[in-house]
Amino acid sequence: MTETIKLKSPIDGSIYAERPVATDQQVNAAVERARAAQVEWAKTSIATRGKYMLAMLEALVGMADEIVPEIAWQMGRPVRYGGEFGGVKERTQYMVEIAEKALAPVPASNPKDGFRRYVKKEPLGVVMVIAPWNYPYLTAVNTIVPALMAGSTVILKHAAQTLLVGERFAQAFEKAGLPKGVFQNIVLNHAQTERLLGSGKIDHVNFTGSVAGGRAIEKAAAGTFMTLGLELGGKDPAYVLPDAKMDHAIANLAEGAFFNSGQCCCGIERVYVHEKVYDDFVEGFIAESRNWTLGNPLDKDAVIGPMAQPRFADLIREQKAEALRKGATAHLNVKDERDQAGSPYLPAEVLTGVNHQMSVMREESFGPIVGVMKVRDDEEAIALMNDSPYGLTASIWTADTEHAVRIGDRVETGTVFMNRCDYLDPALVWTGVKDTGKGAALSAIGYDNLTRPKSYHLREKI
């Protein structure tokens, strides 16, 4: 019997899509096609590669009417948000725009008479992208576009929860006329993925997902010497200072905590508020959070949809119950008949009276729950922000830019925000520290991580 991957929709628990897992022969053939196609693709000019990427983008945007409800059915995000096209456009266009300069040879900094010396940035070869379900287009495009622009070929293995996204990318590239084998979408199970990574046939893998998943990737790739890009867990903090513009901080932190049902890599999961403004912040934050109401994601009025899978919602329920047992207070307490064990429907929640002995303040939640904690000063806030195994982003809310920089210099994180959160700027490198992973995406540095340096030391005068 042919093995299949079944996509169970969080909307109603039905099987929304089902696809056969590739056979080992099909996997090997895909890798061989990618390897063969890469030779000619690397000879293609960067300008021509860019035209293909922009044509793919145009084709993808042209599918919006189909893609938006597909996202809702696959992982639960409300249709009111219209998909991920804004970010996909911004990232694709920017990485195409900077490619010529970012991929240009780098001359030696100390010229020597009679010699030509420089470093070329060579494509890695075959790049595998293992993409997650929470932002299925945005996270995938972070590597797909720059890898292709750099002259590598790409094999995409998308999450089971968002099976159809890989097909949409494949359709868009086909409409763009991309040469055969340069981009391929493939359906694999975990065992096949591990075997492929351990085969030595893949030159680079980019994985976005859990810490456990990242460790499995590293283990599978051990001994192959392939390069890795790993964006793993997060527990992103915010610190609100007394001089913060309170209405702005409240509105943006609520969105940072609850957008996409809290299923954001850089979403806000814990908020530290200076004692001078704590009461005002909590009052306003609770009021603002009540606007983040739960609904059917196919309803244009729904603000929060179901979580992608029931087990994700159950984890949040366990974190909330533990926090309440240890003395925390829940402030929203929304009653919804769909909110029960084994259901992906989970209303937003705000907790106070929390501390770092509670899992909700230490362990990744990845859901619509946030703890708010009072702090005395910067020293306490910084210590608590760093009291985490993760480090993707941290946001600081203040009117004093230099103060924010001084705090940011001491926070163990990949990105420091001031007066904003939960955003990825393609001109800035996307990276993390500690258990959040390693590697870097986007910006010119992202290109450095998707190429290998090759030195040319040429004596022209003898």
Side-chain angles (χ1 to χ4, degrees):
M1 180 179 291
T2 302
E3 180 185 357
T4 63
I5 300 291
K6 297 181 176 66
L7 191 173
K8 183 180 287 189
S9 175
I11 291 179
D12 59 6
S14 64
I15 302 300
Y16 182 65
E18 184 175 6
R19 296 291 185 270
V21 171
T23 65
D24 289 345
Q25 291 78 13
Q26 289 171 328
V27 175
N28 291 333
V31 176
E32 289 173 5
R33 284 193 297 271
R35 184 68 62 190
Q38 197 273 324
V39 176
E40 291 303 315
W41 182 244
K43 298 176 183 177
T44 305
S45 70
I46 293 173
T48 299
R49 295 176 204 159
K51 290 178 181 177
Y52 281 119
M53 297 306 107
L54 296 179
M56 177 278 296
L57 176 62
E58 182 179 3
L60 200 64
V61 172
M63 302 177 198
D65 289 346
E66 299 161 280
I67 285 175
V68 170
E70 275 181 2
I71 291 176
W73 277 105
Q74 289 178 94
M75 54 74 64
R77 187 184 310 129
V79 295
R80 70 182 294 156
Y81 300 114
E84 301 169 13
F85 297 106
V88 170
K89 286 180 184 178
E90 182 181 32
R91 297 177 197 185
T92 299
Q93 291 168 347
Y94 182 78
M95 294 308 286
V96 169
E97 177 186 330
I98 69 168
E100 290 277 5
K101 183 177 180 180
L103 294 169
V106 180
S109 59
N110 56 333
K112 290 186 178 180
D113 186 45
F115 290 88
R116 184 148 53 108
R117 296 143 62 241
Y118 58 93
V119 177
K120 288 185 71 175
K121 298 179 183 181
E122 295 281 292
L124 294 175
V126 178
V127 171
M128 185 172 184
V129 178
I130 304 177
W133 50 264
N134 64 317
Y135 281 95
Y137 287 93
L138 284 173
T139 51
V141 84
N142 288 352
T143 304
I144 291 172
V145 168
L148 292 173
M149 287 299 300
S152 290
T153 51
V154 169
I155 294 174
L156 172 64
K157 185 263 179 207
H158 221 297
Q161 193 67 45
T162 41
L163 274 177
L164 303 185
V165 175
E167 295 178 6
R168 290 297 183 187
F169 271 114
Q171 291 167 12
F173 277 119
E174 184 175 3
K175 289 183 179 181
L178 192 73
K180 299 293 184 184
V182 174
F183 173 87
Q184 296 173 84
N185 174 58
I186 192 165
V187 178
L188 304 175
N189 61 30
H190 290 309
Q192 286 176 309
T193 303
E194 290 177 0
R195 285 199 300 272
L196 180 54
L197 292 175
S199 69
K201 297 177 180 179
I202 302 296
D203 300 298
H204 176 89
V205 62
N206 183 272
F207 170 77
T208 304
S210 68
V211 174
R215 291 191 175 118
I217 297 290
E218 280 201 318
K219 184 177 180 181
T224 66
F225 306 123
M226 72 161 66
T227 52
L228 304 174
L230 303 174
E231 185 195 323
L232 310 177
K235 192 72 183 172
D236 288 11
Y239 174 32
V240 181
L241 283 85
D243 64 344
K245 186 175 181 181
M246 201 56 56
D247 290 348
H248 174 82
I250 286 168
N252 282 271
L253 284 171
E255 181 175 3
F258 301 127
F259 185 81
N260 205 36
S261 298
Q263 298 168 133
C264 304
C265 300
C266 56
I268 296 298
E269 295 208 355
R270 49 200 176 109
V271 182
Y272 305 101
V273 185
H274 195 283
E275 61 184 8
K276 291 182 179 178
V277 291
Y278 176 81
D279 290 341
D280 288 344
F281 177 86
V282 168
E283 180 181 359
F285 190 71
I286 292 169
E288 179 67 26
S289 298
R290 293 193 190 281
N291 296 323
W292 288 83
T293 52
L294 180 65
N296 185 315
L298 298 175
D299 182 346
K300 292 184 178 180
D301 293 328
V303 182
I304 295 180
M307 298 189 70
Q309 293 184 22
R311 63 186 177 92
F312 301 152
D314 283 343
L315 171 64
I316 308 302
R317 294 183 180 104
E318 291 170 8
Q319 288 188 337
K320 177 180 175 180
E322 182 221 28
L324 296 180
R325 287 196 305 271
K326 292 182 176 180
T329 299
H331 292 274
L332 302 186
N333 291 306
V334 175
K335 303 301 180 185
D336 190 303
E337 61 183 11
R338 295 166 295 187
D339 177 18
Q340 53 186 297
S343 167
Y345 285 88
L346 185 71
E349 188 57 275
V350 176
L351 301 176
T352 60
V354 291
N355 58 53
H356 277 225
Q357 281 67 55
M358 300 173 183
S359 62
V360 75
M361 296 298 285
R362 289 269 306 155
E363 298 173 13
E364 186 172 32
S365 299
F366 217 61
I369 190 168
V370 61
V372 183
M373 190 172 172
K374 183 190 298 185
V375 295
R376 295 182 302 275
D377 52 28
D378 292 352
E379 292 300 317
E380 184 178 15
I382 293 166
L384 290 168
M385 293 169 88
N386 288 338
D387 184 27
S388 167
Y390 305 109
L392 184 57
T393 78
S395 65
I396 301 162
W397 303 78
T398 176
D400 187 337
T401 302
E402 294 309 314
H403 192 180
V405 171
R406 289 193 298 273
I407 294 171
D409 287 344
R410 297 174 59 192
V411 178
E412 297 161 354
T413 188
T415 293
V416 176
F417 290 115
M418 185 183 86
N419 296 331
R420 80 174 311 174
C421 60
D422 192 24
Y423 173 72
L424 196 160
D425 184 338
L428 298 174
V429 68
W430 191 244
T431 188
V433 298
K434 299 190 282 190
D435 281 359
T436 289
K438 65 180 180 181
L442 300 179
S443 78
I445 295 172
Y447 274 121
D448 290 341
N449 277 261
L450 287 168
T451 53
R452 65 177 180 85
K454 184 176 182 180
S455 291
Y456 285 75
H457 192 146
L458 312 174
R459 172 174 272 168
E460 296 180 312
K461 293 182 181 179
I462 300 175

